[in-house]
Amino acid sequence: MAKFRVNILGCGSATPSARHQPSCQVIDFRDKLFMIDCGEGAQTSFRKMGLKFNRLSHIFISHLHGDHVFGLPGLLSTMGLHQTGGAVTIHVFKEGAKILKQVTDYFCRQSPFEIIYDELTPGERRVIYEDNGITVRTFPLYHRIDCTGFVFEEKPKPRHLIGDMVKFHNIPVARLNDIKNGADFVTENGVVIPNAALTTAPDPQMSYAYCSDTMPNAKIAEDISGVNTVYHEATYDHSLAALARERGHSTSVQAAETARDAGAKQLIIGHFSKRYVEGELLLLDQAKEIFPNTVLANEGLRMDLL
Amino acid sequence: MAKFRVNILGCGSATPSARHQPSCQVIDFRDKLFMIDCGEGAQTSFRKMGLKFNRLSHIFISHLHGDHVFGLPGLLSTMGLHQTGGAVTIHVFKEGAKILKQVTDYFCRQSPFEIIYDELTPGERRVIYEDNGITVRTFPLYHRIDCTGFVFEEKPKPRHLIGDMVKFHNIPVARLNDIKNGADFVTENGVVIPNAALTTAPDPQMSYAYCSDTMPNAKIAEDISGVNTVYHEATYDHSLAALARERGHSTSVQAAETARDAGAKQLIIGHFSKRYVEGELLLLDQAKEIFPNTVLANEGLRMDLL
């Protein structure tokens, strides 16, 4: 299976604590790196995890609270010191682009690479990135301020050729790509060999949903329906549901309900309140009752998608 | 002796490394905290050292390179979450004030305390802070961009009364403060008892000079002449003097020469290049040959002034 891995660089909320760094994670999709949110200290965690700056070209910012963006100036400056060219694109709401641009225009003005700002629109569902292998799309979240989630989705993969059948029908090499993509084969005698007789199903398309700061909302499960792995904030345990609602956050149980309703295979919970000084096992236990395959995010965690 | 202590929060250069955080230190003068420079991660180091946010009301920024300022947004946001009022003043060049204000106006707009920007002028020698016990003044440094140093200087202290003489001359309590401040005493008979017969010399005025990023320049030693403790950048060992000059920095030997020429009692060197992965003992040895009482800065170091 091609690499599709999430690296957790920070999974605390609001302020750095003894246990956690603020929000930041990096998706490693076949050695291309995509950063999601960039709390203070991200550049240090990035290096600690052995990730390579020159593979990082897109950064996605869910919303404009400091604990999701304050690592950007330092990260971009450091990349400017290490890289000899290229570009990095920051996908962020318009107001954030404006402020960050002023900061980077001043502090990174000698950077040898270009910093591109791609402005996101609140509430929008849109594909904001695409390459040969993957798309990234936005969907709305429901926080105190505008907030967007991101779905990373592999593109459809080629079907697997059945070697014996290819040989038996003496299929020319030039036809194989079309057949991998679903075409039937027509022999010299005009006989149609249906694709299903020549191939087996492709590897599944893997996908990952990042649900940043949000209150629970049934629309989230619809928007991320069928993803393999969900990251969802779980700032509080469920006894603090009223506080969570007041602050525009979710509890562990609510995160698990969303993963369950989306039909996901695994759930990573994070964005923990720093009140859980002994760890977040309470949150894990609560989530597992609803959605058994839940794991706690932690700095340094690397998870391959299921 | 009243407390006058320097806390080192970060003493690396350019980018955070495995060994060091970017520049940040905190002067603790009789439990008032003054931060000098604020590299990324400052808020985390601040807490790790057990310092109290509510005692910090002035932050001094030497120049506008990211490794000296990128910790400010996070620090100020966190202070906003912890404090219930008051104000913090950032002393910084005009251009930095403008950019930082845009960042804090947006990201700290719900802070319960006021963020005041005091604009510094490049090249200026000026007292920029004063209270009952201490003054802070600027002096020019010589970096690639405008850069200022800071001298923290205790105000003159009262002379010590000689108890027996006070008793012998039957001096009224109401006169004692004047005498501590140098006045003579005139008896009922009109006899003048000179102050020198009534008091002994006050405790010495302690002072601390912060020499941020700079090339060596004879004017620095003049500007900080007579300070007790000098912090001076020593980015490189002396074999790299040419590189240091090219980048507007100093070597360990040059830092020591400035401390020696200023007549200081102790020198702390920092702002180390990350090339010294095994530690900076080479820099220390070189500096000590010129100025024996040199110490290496290190994260977590607390030094009381000599």
Side-chain angles (χ1 to χ4, degrees):
Chain A
M1 196 88 81
K3 187 163 34 169
F4 196 158
R5 176 182 295 165
V6 54
N7 298 272
I8 304 292
L9 280 65
C11 59
S13 69
T15 63
S17 66
R19 288 186 57 78
H20 295 297
Q21 293 291 107
S23 292
C24 183
Q25 46 188 262
V26 172
I27 303 299
D28 181 343
F29 180 75
R30 305 179 193 171
D31 293 328
K32 274 190 191 173
L33 302 182
F34 303 91
M35 182 177 281
I36 316 174
D37 285 340
C38 187
E40 186 175 356
Q43 61 164 317
T44 303
S45 307
F46 191 91
R47 270 202 283 214
K48 269 192 198 158
M49 290 192 76
L51 300 168
K52 303 274 183 241
F53 287 123
N54 60 9
R55 296 193 183 278
L56 174 63
S57 57
H58 287 267
I59 302 174
F60 302 87
I61 302 294
S62 67
H63 67 297
L64 299 173
H65 276 153
D67 57 322
H68 296 252
V69 297
F70 285 162
L72 273 175
L75 175 81
L76 296 169
S77 293
T78 295
M79 286 177 72
L81 291 173
H82 283 74
Q83 309 221 148
T84 51
V88 64
T89 301
I90 324 249
H91 306 265
V92 60
F93 289 137
K94 187 175 183 172
E95 216 158 0
K98 190 179 146 200
I99 296 167
L100 286 165
K101 193 172 174 337
Q102 282 164 338
V103 173
T104 57
D105 277 356
Y106 186 82
F107 285 101
C108 309
R109 60 193 179 278
Q110 291 172 321
S111 270
F113 69 96
E114 194 183 358
I115 301 171
I116 299 162
Y117 288 94
D118 170 40
E119 292 180 6
L120 304 181
T121 305
E124 202 172 45
R125 292 172 175 85
R126 183 166 67 90
V127 172
I128 55 170
Y129 174 82
E130 183 168 12
D131 64 22
N132 292 337
I134 199 167
T135 59
V136 182
R137 62 178 169 86
T138 57
F139 62 94
L141 292 172
Y142 307 91
H143 192 37
R144 301 196 302 274
I145 60 171
D146 289 327
C147 189
T148 185
F150 301 103
V151 174
F152 291 71
E153 194 160 17
E154 271 187 309
K155 289 195 168 173
K157 298 177 192 172
R159 300 180 64 83
H160 293 288
L161 296 170
I162 303 170
D164 286 348
M165 296 302 284
V166 170
K167 219 171 188 175
F168 179 83
H169 292 292
N170 205 15
I171 302 176
V173 172
R175 291 290 297 133
L176 293 182
N177 249 340
D178 283 348
I179 292 169
K180 281 192 206 171
N181 288 323
D184 298 332
F185 177 63
V186 185
T187 66
E188 288 182 359
N189 307 329
V191 179
V192 175
I193 316 291
N195 188 279
L198 302 171
T199 65
T200 57
D203 290 334
Q205 281 169 259
M206 307 293 278
S207 55
Y208 178 75
Y210 177 81
C211 303
S212 186
D213 299 16
T214 190
M215 287 181 284
N217 188 308
K219 285 188 188 147
I220 299 173
E222 288 172 26
D223 274 319
I224 66 172
S225 177
V227 294
N228 294 79
T229 299
V230 176
Y231 171 90
H232 199 293
E233 73 121 304
T235 309
Y236 303 108
D237 75 89
H238 204 58
S239 75
L240 297 175
L243 181 65
R245 191 169 49 241
E246 185 189 320
R247 300 200 179 161
H249 285 298
S250 294
T251 68
S252 49
V253 166
Q254 291 161 346
E257 287 169 345
T258 295
R260 176 199 64 198
D261 296 348
K265 291 193 180 137
Q266 69 181 357
L267 167 65
I268 306 170
I269 54 174
H271 200 266
F272 305 123
S273 162
K274 68 179 178 184
R275 73 184 56 213
Y276 304 105
V277 291
E278 303 284 325
E280 299 84 11
L281 284 176
L282 170 62
L283 282 69
L284 181 64
D285 290 343
Q286 291 180 348
K288 274 171 168 283
E289 280 192 29
I290 312 282
F291 189 86
N293 191 10
T294 302
V295 298
L296 289 174
N298 201 26
E299 283 72 13
L301 179 72
R302 301 168 202 269
M303 296 268 296
D304 288 312
L305 263 53
L306 283 186
Chain B
M1 195 87 83
K3 186 161 39 168
F4 196 157
R5 176 182 294 164
V6 53
N7 298 272
I8 304 292
L9 280 65
C11 59
S13 69
T15 63
S17 67
R19 288 186 58 78
H20 296 296
Q21 293 291 107
S23 292
C24 183
Q25 45 187 264
V26 172
I27 303 299
D28 181 343
F29 179 74
R30 305 179 193 171
D31 294 329
K32 274 189 191 173
L33 302 182
F34 302 91
M35 182 176 281
I36 317 174
D37 286 340
C38 187
E40 186 175 356
Q43 62 165 320
T44 303
S45 308
F46 191 90
R47 271 202 281 213
K48 268 191 199 159
M49 290 193 76
L51 300 167
K52 303 275 183 234
F53 287 123
N54 60 7
R55 296 192 183 280
L56 174 63
S57 57
H58 286 268
I59 302 174
F60 302 87
I61 302 294
S62 67
H63 67 297
L64 298 173
H65 277 153
D67 57 323
H68 295 253
V69 296
F70 285 162
L72 272 175
L75 175 81
L76 295 169
S77 293
T78 294
M79 287 176 72
L81 290 174
H82 283 73
Q83 309 221 146
T84 51
V88 64
T89 301
I90 322 238
H91 306 265
V92 60
F93 289 137
K94 186 175 184 171
E95 216 158 359
K98 190 178 146 202
I99 297 167
L100 286 165
K101 193 170 174 340
Q102 283 164 338
V103 174
T104 56
D105 277 357
Y106 186 81
F107 286 101
C108 309
R109 62 193 178 278
Q110 291 172 320
S111 270
F113 69 97
E114 195 183 358
I115 301 171
I116 299 162
Y117 288 94
D118 169 41
E119 292 180 6
L120 304 180
T121 305
E124 201 172 43
R125 292 173 177 84
R126 182 165 67 90
V127 172
I128 54 170
Y129 173 82
E130 183 168 12
D131 65 22
N132 292 337
I134 199 167
T135 59
V136 182
R137 62 178 171 86
T138 57
F139 62 95
L141 292 173
Y142 308 92
H143 193 37
R144 300 195 302 273
I145 60 171
D146 289 327
C147 188
T148 185
F150 301 103
V151 174
F152 290 71
E153 195 160 17
E154 269 186 308
K155 288 193 168 172
K157 297 177 191 173
R159 299 180 63 82
H160 293 288
L161 296 169
I162 303 170
D164 286 348
M165 296 303 284
V166 169
K167 220 170 188 174
F168 180 81
H169 294 291
N170 206 16
I171 303 176
V173 172
R175 291 287 298 132
L176 294 182
N177 249 341
D178 283 349
I179 293 169
K180 282 193 206 171
N181 289 323
D184 298 334
F185 177 63
V186 184
T187 65
E188 287 179 0
N189 307 329
V191 179
V192 174
I193 316 291
N195 187 278
L198 302 171
T199 65
T200 56
D203 290 336
Q205 281 168 258
M206 307 293 277
S207 55
Y208 178 76
Y210 178 81
C211 303
S212 186
D213 299 16
T214 189
M215 286 180 284
N217 188 308
K219 286 189 188 147
I220 298 173
E222 288 172 27
D223 274 318
I224 66 171
S225 178
V227 294
N228 293 79
T229 298
V230 177
Y231 171 90
H232 198 293
E233 73 121 304
T235 309
Y236 302 108
D237 75 90
H238 204 59
S239 75
L240 297 175
L243 181 64
R245 189 167 53 241
E246 185 189 319
R247 300 198 180 164
H249 286 297
S250 294
T251 69
S252 49
V253 166
Q254 291 161 346
E257 287 169 344
T258 295
R260 177 198 64 198
D261 296 346
K265 290 192 181 139
Q266 70 182 354
L267 167 65
I268 306 170
I269 54 174
H271 200 265
F272 306 123
S273 162
K274 67 179 180 185
R275 73 184 57 213
Y276 304 105
V277 291
E278 304 283 324
E280 300 86 11
L281 284 177
L282 171 62
L283 282 68
L284 182 64
D285 290 342
Q286 290 180 349
K288 274 170 168 284
E289 279 191 31
I290 313 282
F291 190 85
N293 192 9
T294 302
V295 298
L296 289 174
N298 202 25
E299 283 72 14
L301 180 71
R302 300 167 203 270
M303 296 269 296
D304 287 311
L305 264 52
L306 283 188

